Amino acid sequence: MDSTDLVVGQISHIYAHSDKGPRGKPGMTEKERNQADNLMLFCPTHHVIIDGQHETFTAETLLGWKQQHERRYRDNLSARLTDIGYAELEVAARALLAPAVVGNGDYGNIPPAEKIAKNKLGATSTALLTLGAAKSKEVERVLLDAAQLDAGFPERLRNGFVTRYDALRAEGLAGDDLFLAMYEWSGGGGADKAREVAGLCILTHLFVICDVFEK
């Protein structure tokens, strides 16, 4: 009998989860300490090292590492965007369809920048939204074409996203944690990079036209 999967990654705070912890920063709220922008993932060995030698591995050092890693990841995503076309977006859209009940949240029409602020999204989520917005017109065309054959297709897709969003909120997720969970779900878990990018484009389109996330 095979063993179950084992998660070995450990989350480290850039600024400590308490004032007296490694790289403590007095004045931060608990919510600020636990935002995605203040977290990094390490193997157990390096987690012990960076916290045990926090004078060497300062918050500024960790922030630099995080920014460098995220920049490289954004560059890779940006490069993949050029390869994503109608067919990939259509496949992703159909994969995300699910029977759903419309949520009770208010997803009214407000400018995206205000919506980002309202949902307390940080730099990482905002960067992903910026990337995904590059294909918003293509997503719109996919949905319009699909509606010609199946009038309920766009609404079912939207409802699938809203239902997933409401379920994650019910689990207590908010802000960047909520957005990144939606990103992982819409991208199919990230195993297929084309699907990941296509899912991001659809999520972004629905965010921009204010069909998902609170206003």
Side-chain angles (χ1 to χ4, degrees):
M1 180 177 178
D2 292 335
S3 299
T4 57
D5 293 339
L6 178 65
V7 177
V8 298
Q10 295 184 356
I11 295 175
S12 177
H13 289 74
I14 296 174
Y15 292 107
H17 58 79
S18 68
D19 290 349
K20 295 183 180 180
R23 297 175 301 278
K25 184 179 180 181
M28 292 185 73
T29 66
E30 181 178 357
K31 188 172 184 179
E32 288 172 335
R33 298 181 198 275
N34 292 314
Q35 284 288 336
D37 287 346
N38 191 48
L39 302 175
M40 295 183 70
L41 188 67
F42 290 98
C43 71
T45 299
H46 285 99
H47 187 183
V48 171
I49 292 172
I50 65 108
D51 278 357
Q53 298 180 320
H54 55 87
E55 297 89 350
T56 299
F57 300 104
T58 64
E60 290 73 20
T61 297
L62 268 58
L63 284 168
W65 290 352
K66 183 178 178 72
Q67 290 167 2
Q68 182 181 38
H69 175 77
E70 290 180 345
R71 188 181 305 113
R72 185 167 59 248
Y73 186 73
R74 285 196 300 270
D75 289 345
N76 289 337
L77 278 179
S78 182
R80 289 307 299 258
L81 275 171
T82 62
D83 298 328
I84 295 297
Y86 184 98
E88 290 82 6
L89 289 168
E90 183 182 29
V91 168
R94 293 191 179 279
L96 291 165
L97 279 177
V101 177
V102 179
N104 296 321
D106 185 352
Y107 310 104
N109 185 24
I110 65 172
E114 292 181 26
K115 200 168 187 183
I116 286 172
K118 180 70 175 180
N119 286 276
K120 297 181 174 59
L121 300 183
T124 299
S125 299
T126 301
L128 288 169
L129 282 167
T130 300
L131 286 171
K135 292 286 183 175
S136 188
K137 290 295 184 183
E138 286 89 337
V139 175
E140 183 178 22
R141 184 165 66 89
V142 167
L143 299 184
L144 287 173
D145 287 351
Q148 298 300 311
L149 299 175
D150 179 355
F153 182 93
E155 185 66 12
R156 291 200 308 277
L157 181 66
R158 181 254 189 195
N159 290 350
F161 273 82
V162 171
T163 299
R164 181 62 177 175
Y165 173 82
D166 287 344
L168 291 170
R169 284 186 65 198
E171 293 176 10
L173 296 184
D176 285 316
D177 291 334
L178 177 53
F179 180 84
L180 294 174
M182 288 292 295
Y183 167 54
E184 182 178 7
W185 171 76
S186 64
D192 181 338
K193 287 301 178 184
R195 166 66 190 282
E196 179 182 358
V197 175
L200 171 63
C201 294
I202 295 169
L203 173 62
T204 300
H205 178 75
L206 294 177
F207 183 95
V208 169
I209 65 174
C210 297
D211 270 353
V212 184
F213 286 84
E214 299 298 312
K215 77 170 186 179

